[in-house]
Amino acid sequence: MSPSICKLASRVVTESPRTTPSFFSEFTLRALDCRRPISTYGYTQAKALVYPKNGSIPDVLNLHTHSISPPHSTLLTLRTLSAPLNPADINQIQGTYPTAPPFTTSLGTPTPHAVPGNEACFEVLSAGSNAKSVKKGDWVIPRATGLGTWRTHLQCEEDKIVRVDKEGLDSKQVATVNVNPVTAWRMLKDFGGGVREGEWFIQNGANSGVGRAAIQLGRMWGLRSIAVVRGRPGEEGEKLKRELEELGADQIVSDEELMEKSFKDRVKEWTNGGRDKVSLGLNCVGGDAAMAMAKVLSTGAHMVTYGAMSKSPMRVGASMLIFKDIKFDGFWVSRWADQHPEEKSSTVESILQLIREGKFKDVPMVEVLWNWDSKKEDLVDAVQGTLEGYRKGKGIFVFGDT
């Protein structure tokens, strides 16, 4: 549609809606917005955040516009509804993560670029004639990491996604199910035969997505928990404590309290004089703080590390290994999911069902609206903001008029 036709039609619709000819009534204002390239011959116009090399976010992240051809065979064209901003996504851009998305010229960039983002909820816009598992309007999530989700639209093979029953869910809930809740579920279930009803687990980073998920799942399964969080002053700290108590945490302490000599005695008091086992530790921080948690674990317990936010090494005392037989394990949900695809799908569906039933609460989120005319600077600033100190919630792109 030429700019002059578009401008005239838009004026007719907006100024005389009741007398608009039937020809124009087929168009919406969105379609008449001349700032957005109109799809022709079935091509979909899309935008993506891309980067040509690893580096700091403001230096390497750019917004790229491209076209997507109509899908054929088992290809799908998807529109992104929501996509979270995870620490692993940032680390991939910086080049400090063990895996990276593919760098290609498939989006029409002059040199190979990668699209960041590993989680999202998509809507199927169209499907090739041989696609069997989904249809137009379905919601889907990535089957594995590396799909590149920080974009308005994408095209991929049918086997790269998994259909989700969207009944009773919003796109933000679906977009954030693949990593944090699954990590919490598997760690509570898979180490040492799982934490048994009535036993305790202790975790740092308890305010994180994984931490909040572990608290809620633990409560549902009859487990008791000690939640360690970074100290916050005044009312802010009290507010966080109330939030975690409502989720189901039994005891909430600051990282400063964790390091006090009296902490071991406090745990003994909470655990019936030490007769109730503290059979699992969940660590995403590392360093001396992680070792302070390990010191209160019961004999034969497991200490599972799934993150290292402090970037400090853990110095394991020989007595923990010899006399207490503490097992130190690592857990990386991406690798686990690749090795257990069916169990991963089952875990995701179980979590989504808990959300539908109102038994599992979302992590607090900070929505970043992404429209077709959103500026690169605003999107990049939102990504950079995830590296700052205390935040009100998890950053998530929510896609509007795209």
Side-chain angles (χ1 to χ4, degrees):
M1 181 181 292
S2 70
S4 59
I5 297 277
C6 180
K7 188 172 182 180
L8 172 61
S10 180
R11 183 176 178 182
V12 170
V13 171
T14 54
E15 294 183 6
S16 306
R18 295 184 179 179
T19 58
T20 301
S22 59
F23 168 79
F24 287 131
S25 65
E26 297 176 6
F27 296 92
T28 64
L29 286 178
R30 174 180 170 184
L32 295 171
D33 187 347
C34 297
R35 294 169 299 178
R36 187 186 191 283
I38 301 300
S39 175
T40 56
Y41 302 107
Y43 280 72
T44 300
Q45 304 305 298
K47 290 186 178 183
L49 284 172
V50 299
Y51 61 104
K53 61 182 180 179
N54 297 125
S56 66
I57 290 163
D59 293 338
V60 300
L61 208 54
N62 287 292
L63 188 62
H64 174 69
T65 303
H66 61 103
S67 297
I68 299 175
S69 61
H72 59 87
S73 187
T74 55
L75 286 174
L76 307 174
T77 299
L78 311 176
R79 184 174 83 89
T80 317
L81 302 178
S82 296
L85 287 65
N86 290 317
D89 304 329
I90 308 301
N91 294 153
Q92 284 186 327
I93 299 171
Q94 296 168 329
T96 59
Y97 202 70
T99 61
F103 285 77
T104 74
T105 57
S106 62
L107 302 186
T109 53
T111 59
H113 281 60
V115 180
N118 290 288
E119 280 192 293
C121 173
F122 305 106
E123 179 186 22
V124 178
L125 287 186
S126 53
S129 58
N130 292 330
K132 305 300 181 185
S133 64
V134 296
K135 62 183 183 303
K136 181 178 179 180
D138 284 347
W139 284 9
V140 297
I141 57 177
R143 185 178 296 276
T145 58
L147 189 60
T149 60
W150 293 0
R151 43 179 153 183
T152 62
H153 304 77
L154 76 155
Q155 191 170 87
C156 68
E157 289 287 348
E158 181 182 17
D159 63 4
K160 297 295 184 183
I161 54 84
V162 177
R163 181 184 176 277
V164 169
D165 180 1
K166 60 186 175 182
E167 183 179 356
L169 302 169
D170 65 48
S171 67
K172 299 187 295 296
Q173 294 168 329
V174 175
T176 53
V177 73
N178 247 341
V179 175
N180 291 336
V182 173
T183 297
W185 185 296
R186 297 319 325 172
M187 290 193 299
L188 290 175
K189 287 288 190 183
D190 292 348
F191 291 91
V195 186
R196 292 166 178 80
E197 187 174 354
E199 292 182 347
W200 291 73
F201 68 95
I202 182 171
Q203 61 169 334
N204 53 31
N207 187 39
S208 67
V210 173
R212 287 173 174 255
I215 289 171
Q216 295 180 80
L217 294 172
R219 178 184 61 180
M220 282 184 267
W221 296 339
L223 317 181
R224 307 196 68 184
S225 63
I226 303 169
V228 182
V229 298
R230 285 187 293 176
R232 288 164 170 76
E235 177 56 28
E236 186 178 0
E238 291 301 314
K239 180 176 180 293
L240 175 59
K241 184 176 180 180
R242 289 193 297 270
E243 286 181 12
L244 299 186
E245 285 176 341
E246 289 173 2
L247 292 179
D250 292 279
Q251 301 294 337
I252 302 154
V253 297
S254 68
D255 46 4
E256 292 89 354
E257 292 175 284
L258 172 69
M259 302 304 293
E260 293 174 353
K261 292 182 179 180
S262 61
F263 182 68
K264 191 173 183 179
D265 293 330
R266 294 175 67 186
V267 173
K268 187 175 181 179
E269 180 182 345
W270 297 332
T271 58
N272 193 25
R275 289 183 288 274
D276 299 335
K277 290 184 64 175
V278 184
S279 56
L280 182 68
L282 305 180
N283 167 48
C284 66
V285 175
D288 293 340
M291 288 301 95
M293 287 202 318
K295 289 178 181 178
V296 303
L297 293 176
S298 301
T299 299
H302 284 255
M303 180 75 165
V304 184
T305 294
Y306 66 97
M309 290 191 296
S310 72
K311 299 181 180 178
S312 299
M314 297 190 299
R315 296 175 290 185
V316 180
S319 62
M320 294 185 191
L321 302 173
I322 299 170
F323 303 118
K324 296 191 69 177
D325 194 25
I326 305 296
K327 280 82 170 175
F328 288 84
D329 306 282
F331 183 76
W332 185 21
V333 72
S334 299
R335 179 169 55 199
W336 176 87
D338 290 342
Q339 295 171 346
H340 306 86
E342 297 302 322
E343 200 169 0
K344 186 327 187 38
S345 296
S346 174
T347 303
V348 166
E349 181 49 43
S350 295
I351 294 166
L352 292 176
Q353 186 57 33
L354 291 175
I355 296 173
R356 293 186 189 99
E357 295 171 0
K359 297 177 180 179
F360 189 91
K361 292 185 179 180
D362 308 334
V363 66
M365 299 185 199
V366 176
E367 296 184 12
V368 180
L369 183 61
W370 185 334
N371 289 318
W372 181 259
D373 58 357
S374 292
K375 300 291 187 293
K376 165 203 163 182
E377 293 75 17
D378 296 333
L379 301 177
V380 173
D381 285 349
V383 176
Q384 180 68 23
T386 63
L387 298 175
E388 297 173 358
Y390 297 129
R391 303 189 305 276
K392 294 181 179 179
K394 182 184 190 67
I396 184 168
F397 287 127
V398 177
F399 294 79
D401 181 12
T402 59

